[in-house]
Amino acid sequence: MKDLLKRFRFFLVMLMILIGVMLVDHPKEIKALGIMASSLKEMLLVIPPVFILLGLLDVWVPKETMVRHMGEGSGLKGVVLAVLLGSAAAGPLYGAFPVAGVFLKKGVSLSNILIFLGAWSTTKIPMFLFEWTSLGGRFALTRLVVDIPGIIIIAWLICKLVPEAEQARVYQKAEKL
Amino acid sequence: MVAKKSELSYSLVLKIRFERGFNVRRGVVLFALILYLLAVIALIGSWANDRQKTVAALIKAWKAFDTILPQLLGVLVLIGVLLAYLDAPTIGRILGKDSGWWGVLVAAVVGSVTLIPGFVAFPTAAMLLKNGAGLTQIAAFISTLMMVGVATMPVEIKYFGKKVAVYRNLTAFVFSFVVAWVIGMVVR
């Protein structure tokens, strides 16, 4: 019971805030519930196939293969693969975190995982086409040209900023996910 | 007056989206369909090769989902409350009213805490531009919207720990100003 409470602590706090909003600002409450319903629908729609694919990836792709292609010392090939994998994706960023979790487990280097996250968040190909039609080619292209080196620099910077002991802990934690 | 303008821009966004045949729900559903197709093909292939491994994969999938479930539920409520207050007309008002680097900062913060799918964000941004919002501000807004996720931090922390998650969001936030600055210089 206590464990359950601890696990759902964040959710419970959020529920209390929601109830607070209900008490002081009823119209916003109705709106919040509507937004929650549509977000829930989107999550439920996307989550089952993502997790099934992740389970299969976990079982079928040996760790050695992933380490060789995207692990420490995979060099430029690892970086290019990370950018391509991230860019080919679609969907919200929170969908990328479980994928990154399996990558951690499979020994992909932290910098490549961060590059993958960066690419997923900002250089997705379907989104790029959409951005082009909405905001113009110049806007979309400039952003892409700045973003690609940017996400690589960010990944490198984080690897420098986060102590190695903490990095090791992240990998250990991933084993349990 | 200002409020009226952004309301108008919001209805224009919807109109344009329909005219071009872009529909938010259709985009989401299409993406999900592709995912389901991939998952089903992979499952059939896996089952044909090794039934035990396939069952193990499904158990792993369930466990991974179960681990992240509390965070997902919390994020869901957080997004609901946040977006109830920060809807498109409100954002338009904030970006349209301010200018200069202060406006860019506000735009970056608003982009960091909101969570709007790109299918909606880009046409919205286009309309805000037409209604007088600065290009640099819009660029900052789009950039943090995509790269920084304050609302989804609990999920990120679950996988990466506090340090990596905080650093990633912070560096992405700062980087968005670089993106905004370059776009402000290059795009006319």
Side-chain angles (χ1 to χ4, degrees):
Chain A
M1 183 62 203
K2 212 176 161 191
D3 282 352
L4 208 67
L5 215 63
K6 202 180 158 209
R7 261 192 90 200
F8 285 90
R9 192 178 44 192
F10 169 57
F11 177 54
L12 290 174
V13 169
M14 288 317 304
L15 269 187
M16 274 185 247
I17 292 176
L18 187 70
I19 292 167
V21 170
M22 180 167 70
L23 293 178
V24 295
D25 196 349
H26 193 63
K28 288 289 181 205
E29 161 83 10
I30 303 290
K31 212 170 161 189
L33 286 178
I35 293 164
M36 276 166 59
S38 65
S39 314
L40 181 68
K41 255 194 280 178
E42 197 187 312
M43 276 188 190
L44 287 180
L45 201 66
V46 174
I47 279 174
V50 166
F51 278 87
I52 286 172
L53 283 169
L54 281 179
L56 290 170
L57 176 77
D58 202 352
V59 168
W60 282 105
V61 181
K63 190 169 176 174
E64 297 73 49
T65 315
M66 294 291 280
V67 171
R68 197 170 53 232
H69 292 294
M70 295 175 77
E72 298 290 346
S74 57
L76 190 63
K77 186 171 78 173
V79 174
V80 172
L81 264 176
V83 171
L84 288 181
L85 279 175
S87 302
L93 185 59
Y94 61 74
F97 296 134
V99 183
V102 174
F103 280 2
L104 281 171
K105 229 165 135 180
K106 293 283 174 188
V108 175
S109 72
L110 185 62
S111 74
N112 281 344
I113 291 177
L114 289 167
I115 290 170
F116 165 79
L117 279 183
W120 183 308
S121 68
T122 195
T123 63
K124 281 176 300 198
I125 294 162
M127 279 300 117
F128 178 73
L129 298 176
F130 204 76
E131 184 177 355
W132 187 301
T133 51
S134 303
L135 295 170
R138 212 157 165 174
F139 188 98
L141 266 181
T142 309
R143 221 171 62 79
L144 185 72
V145 168
V146 181
D147 272 341
I148 289 178
I151 58 181
I152 295 173
I153 293 168
I154 285 177
W156 174 81
L157 201 65
I158 294 170
C159 287
K160 290 274 167 232
L161 285 172
V162 177
E164 285 196 5
E166 170 70 16
Q167 294 189 21
R169 239 196 328 271
V170 170
Y171 277 93
Q172 268 166 21
K173 229 174 82 179
E175 288 296 327
K176 289 189 213 118
L177 286 171
Chain B
M1 174 60 198
V2 179
K4 217 174 176 181
K5 207 170 167 187
S6 44
E7 264 168 37
L8 175 80
S9 72
Y10 194 56
S11 66
L12 268 175
V13 171
L14 294 173
K15 206 176 140 210
I16 282 214
R17 206 160 57 221
F18 283 120
E19 274 170 3
R20 287 196 188 156
F22 291 136
N23 180 293
V24 184
R25 289 235 46 89
R26 206 188 294 161
V28 174
V29 169
L30 185 71
F31 164 65
L33 269 180
I34 294 170
L35 271 180
Y36 275 95
L37 204 67
L38 279 175
V40 167
I41 291 170
L43 259 184
I44 291 172
S46 174
W47 184 259
N49 276 303
D50 191 332
R51 289 183 184 197
Q52 259 177 344
K53 266 192 169 178
T54 311
V55 173
L58 287 176
I59 291 172
K60 278 195 176 198
W62 173 257
K63 274 197 180 145
F65 171 67
D66 187 53
T67 321
I68 205 66
L69 182 66
Q71 273 71 24
L72 274 182
L73 284 176
V75 166
L76 199 69
V77 182
L78 180 59
I79 292 173
V81 175
L82 260 179
L83 293 195
Y85 284 95
L86 272 178
D87 50 8
T90 311
I91 294 173
R93 218 157 34 235
I94 298 169
L95 297 194
K97 205 165 58 186
D98 296 303
S99 58
W101 283 102
W102 175 247
V104 177
L105 182 69
V106 174
V109 170
V110 172
S112 300
V113 295
T114 41
L115 217 147
I116 309 171
F119 295 103
V120 187
F122 290 128
T124 309
M127 272 304 124
L128 293 178
L129 270 180
K130 276 203 182 134
N131 282 291
L135 197 65
T136 318
Q137 292 151 356
I138 290 295
F141 171 68
I142 288 284
S143 190
T144 53
L145 184 67
M146 305 190 89
M147 297 181 85
V148 184
V150 171
T152 51
M153 280 272 268
V155 178
E156 193 169 353
I157 288 172
K158 185 89 188 159
Y159 286 103
F160 287 101
K162 270 196 191 112
K163 267 221 168 91
V164 176
V166 169
Y167 278 139
R168 195 196 68 79
N169 282 285
L170 265 184
T171 45
F173 183 80
V174 174
F175 174 67
S176 295
F177 287 87
V178 179
V179 175
W181 179 69
V182 174
I183 286 186
M185 301 264 287
V186 173
V187 186
R188 285 278 132 224

